[in-house]
Amino acid sequence: MKILCYAVSAEEEPYLKNWSQQNNIKVDLVPTPLSDNSVYLAQGYDGVSSVGMLPVNEEVYATFEKFGIKQLAVRQVGVDNQDLQAAKKHHITITNVRSYSPRAIAEMGVTQAMYLLRKIGIYQNRMAQGNFTWDPTTVSTEIFNCTVGLIGTGHIGGASAQIYSALGAKVIAYDPNYNADLEPYLTFTDFETVLKTADIVSLHVPLLPATQKIIDRQALKKMKNTAILINVARGELVDTPALIAALENRKIAAAGLDTLADEAKLIGQHLQASNLPHDYQVLSQMPNVLLTPHVAFFTKLAVKNYIEIALNDAVTVIKGKKPRNLIC
């Protein structure tokens, strides 16, 4: 059995090699992302794994079918870059990694919220200019006096609820799928109540037609002008121009963004600042905004887990059995 892994990064290599040795399965690694230009590399392999946000089109699945490849193991949660209908048409089973370390992503969201809550970016900006003062505009609120509103209570939202609850915050959440296991940590309510009540609004939903721009101009208008928005999920959940306007007009206080819309062409690249999209340039200059390059997942445990889960599912499909993390 041979498996080809696309878009392999340096930090993934030791975990992939270790899995290969432990399972006595040949795994070849290429840094190239999976696309219709690189799909030919998979010829002669039994299975394929990929990661990334670049769109995968029908030609890729058709070529897999031609090569006799029956699956694609995605080493991440999101599959919004995959054409699932085309995959089904060409009999390609797609798996993802639904939960590799929810705590890693939850911790990043909480870290960003605490940074913004304590106005650290504003203080750093002032101190860089020799200003070591503070005033009523930079007084903070302690987390146990805050209400945190979660949009989505899946693995990551649930882990976030547990952390915020342990810190003493009141946690409320909106999710159409009720989960009784989370009752010790949060109170379920409706979407509008979360927006109007929460001091920190944190997004933990997948990108679907129903969730695209779930935080738009109208949603931002309902939030407190002292509220902090955290997005460690998908960039397209937020209407970025509307968010910039809300921040500039002080309709909300701050934003922590590990992901932004249309980031696929930027993530993993080292670009000149002048070549960055306008919204990135505007947001990066705001001391009440914290930007990170989609790295909430990026911990040693998470990398190890998503590799093992993805490749185990690849082997399961190759053997003709049902994988644990079936998408289609």
Side-chain angles (χ1 to χ4, degrees), residues 77 97-106 152-162 175 179 182 204 325:
V77 178
V97 184
R98 295 175 187 172
S99 177
Y100 46 85
S101 183
R103 181 88 183 194
I105 299 170
T153 58
H155 295 297
I156 298 166
S160 300
Q162 292 184 39
D175 194 315
N179 183 352
L182 294 177
H204 303 285
N325 299 282

Side-chain angles (χ1 to χ4, degrees), residues 23-263:
N23 292 274
N24 196 29
I25 294 174
K26 182 176 175 57
V27 179
D28 288 330
L29 320 176
V30 294
T32 312
L34 175 61
S35 70
D36 52 352
N37 292 322
S38 63
V39 67
Y40 71 92
L41 296 172
Q43 187 167 13
Y45 287 87
D46 303 292
V48 175
S49 176
S50 73
V51 68
M53 291 174 285
L54 293 176
V56 178
N57 60 32
E58 184 172 354
E59 185 175 342
V60 170
Y61 309 115
T63 304
F64 281 167
E65 185 179 33
K66 178 182 175 182
F67 290 166
I69 295 170
K70 295 179 169 56
Q71 60 71 231
L72 171 60
V74 178
R75 304 191 303 278
Q76 62 193 36
V77 178
V79 293
D80 38 281
N81 64 320
Q82 304 288 334
D83 186 336
L84 301 183
Q85 291 302 316
K88 290 179 182 178
K89 176 182 175 181
H90 294 283
H91 313 289
I92 304 301
T93 296
I94 293 183
T95 59
N96 73 339
V97 184
R98 295 175 187 172
S99 177
Y100 46 85
S101 183
R103 181 88 183 194
I105 299 170
E107 285 184 1
M108 174 65 94
V110 174
T111 300
Q112 292 197 344
M114 294 296 293
Y115 174 99
L116 295 164
L117 188 66
R118 297 308 303 265
K119 314 293 178 68
I120 293 173
I122 295 173
Y123 284 124
Q124 285 189 323
N125 188 59
R126 288 183 180 184
M127 291 171 69
Q129 301 173 51
N131 182 351
F132 287 74
T133 65
W134 59 88
D135 56 62
T137 66
T138 57
V139 65
S140 299
T141 302
E142 293 162 67
I143 188 66
F144 74 88
N145 285 319
C146 292
T147 296
V148 176
L150 306 176
I151 309 297
T153 58
H155 295 297
I156 298 166
S160 300
Q162 292 184 39
I163 298 172
Y164 279 118
S165 178
L167 291 171
K170 177 183 178 182
V171 184
I172 60 176
Y174 166 71
D175 194 315
N177 299 309
Y178 172 72
N179 183 352
D181 292 340
L182 294 177
E183 285 286 1
Y185 313 108
L186 59 80
T187 299
F188 283 95
T189 186
D190 58 89
F191 180 60
E192 189 158 320
T193 298
V194 169
L195 294 178
K196 290 181 176 180
T197 307
D199 300 295
I200 299 167
V201 175
S202 192
L203 306 180
H204 303 285
V205 294
L207 179 62
L208 303 168
T211 61
Q212 188 167 22
K213 294 185 179 180
I214 193 172
I215 302 298
D216 57 10
R217 185 172 62 87
Q218 292 303 317
L220 289 160
K221 284 176 63 176
K222 293 175 182 177
M223 293 170 61
K224 294 180 177 181
N225 60 11
T226 55
I228 296 169
L229 177 67
I230 301 295
N231 186 9
V232 290
R234 284 291 183 268
E236 288 81 3
L237 300 175
V238 179
D239 182 335
T240 305
L243 173 61
I244 291 173
L247 289 163
E248 290 178 335
N249 296 319
R250 299 182 181 178
K251 299 299 184 183
I252 67 169
L257 308 169
D258 185 53
T259 176
L260 282 171
D262 303 321
E263 67 183 2

